[in-house]
Amino acid sequence: MRQNGPYLWATALIYQIVISASSHLCLASASAVGFGLPRRTLSAHSSALGGGSSCRRRQVVMINGEKKPSSILFVCLGNINRSAAAEGYMRSKRPSLHVESAGTGGHFAGAAADDDMQLAARQRGVDLSSHRARQVTDQDFVRFDMVVAMDSSNLRSLQQRCPAAYQSKLHLFLPKYASHLGLSDTPDPYYEGGHLRVFDIISQGIDGLIASEKL
């Protein structure tokens, strides 16, 4: 057994060198693709080290060195109109993305989406019939890559509740993703009506989010 010791030690050392090289190549590959270098050339070198599939997985979630969001929570007050519509429209555009919605208040918890918002969504080809309202939980700040507030009032509520480590996950919807509309807050049809107009505003914001975050 002692005679095999140096052999086993050398084998383990070589294995560690190969794994390390593969890991560095993955990182270089993800960065190089961002600079326009040929993906096929990088894949060939990666495969030679046995790291092809791992590199491809990393490239899916990396853009210019930044991780793409894979989960988004939309938040309004009651979670029966605006955030429900945002969730439904985003799901229709990006079915593979983990998308949910919630309200800062819990007064409508368990309720379906507002009938008028469901009608507006159907007119745009989106089904909200399975939606059930829920309230934001502390765990949401951990679970989701992005927490998007539909208006500044709900953003403040989230900021007051969110731990400091996760504050960077909070975003205000329209100013960031549909600034051309000139709206700070997504209108609340619960008080103002105009559900179809609000749904169309939200759709523009979602389209902007998809483009901005390269989803």
Side-chain angles (χ1 to χ4, degrees):
M1 293 298 292
R2 282 195 297 270
Q3 291 178 346
N4 291 334
Y7 171 78
L8 294 174
W9 179 86
T11 301
L13 179 61
I14 292 171
Y15 177 78
Q16 289 297 325
I17 292 172
V18 170
I19 292 299
S20 177
S22 177
S23 176
H24 285 297
L25 182 59
C26 282
L27 294 175
S29 175
S31 299
V33 169
F35 285 104
L37 296 183
R39 188 184 297 270
R40 283 180 295 181
T41 301
L42 295 166
S43 297
H45 290 297
S46 173
S47 297
L49 287 173
S53 61
S54 175
C55 285
R56 283 193 294 273
R57 284 195 297 272
R58 293 187 188 189
Q59 288 168 7
V60 167
V61 298
M62 298 292 289
I63 293 181
N64 295 330
E66 296 184 2
K67 184 178 181 296
K68 289 172 60 176
S70 60
S71 56
I72 302 175
L73 179 71
F74 294 101
V75 180
C76 65
L77 179 59
N79 191 214
I80 61 170
N81 277 299
R82 295 170 294 172
S83 59
E87 176 189 351
Y89 185 75
M90 177 62 91
R91 284 177 179 269
S92 74
K93 300 288 285 187
R94 292 294 183 270
S96 62
L97 196 66
H98 179 198
V99 183
E100 294 183 26
S101 62
T104 53
H107 42 290
F108 287 119
D114 183 275
D115 289 342
D116 289 331
M117 184 56 80
Q118 290 196 51
L119 176 60
R122 281 198 301 272
Q123 290 179 270
R124 296 296 187 250
V126 176
D127 181 12
L128 300 182
S129 61
S130 63
H131 176 78
R132 294 298 179 269
R134 72 171 180 88
Q135 189 173 16
V136 171
T137 69
D138 291 340
Q139 191 62 24
D140 287 330
F141 300 116
V142 180
R143 292 175 54 221
F144 291 92
D145 295 331
M146 296 178 63
V147 179
V148 181
M150 306 306 288
D151 62 38
S152 52
S153 175
N154 284 294
L155 177 62
R156 286 192 295 271
S157 296
L158 292 170
Q159 289 170 333
Q160 292 169 4
R161 182 172 180 176
C162 180
Y166 304 115
Q167 287 281 332
S168 62
K169 294 184 176 185
L170 305 181
H171 306 273
L172 184 57
F173 185 49
L174 291 182
K176 183 166 186 177
Y177 299 115
S179 59
H180 64 281
L181 295 176
L183 296 172
S184 297
D185 297 332
T186 308
D188 190 347
Y190 184 80
Y191 300 104
E192 304 173 28
H195 287 75
L196 185 59
R197 170 179 171 268
V198 171
F199 189 90
D200 288 341
I201 288 172
I202 290 170
S203 299
Q204 292 184 60
I206 296 296
D207 291 341
L209 191 160
I210 290 171
S212 177
E213 303 295 339
K214 298 179 175 61
L215 299 177

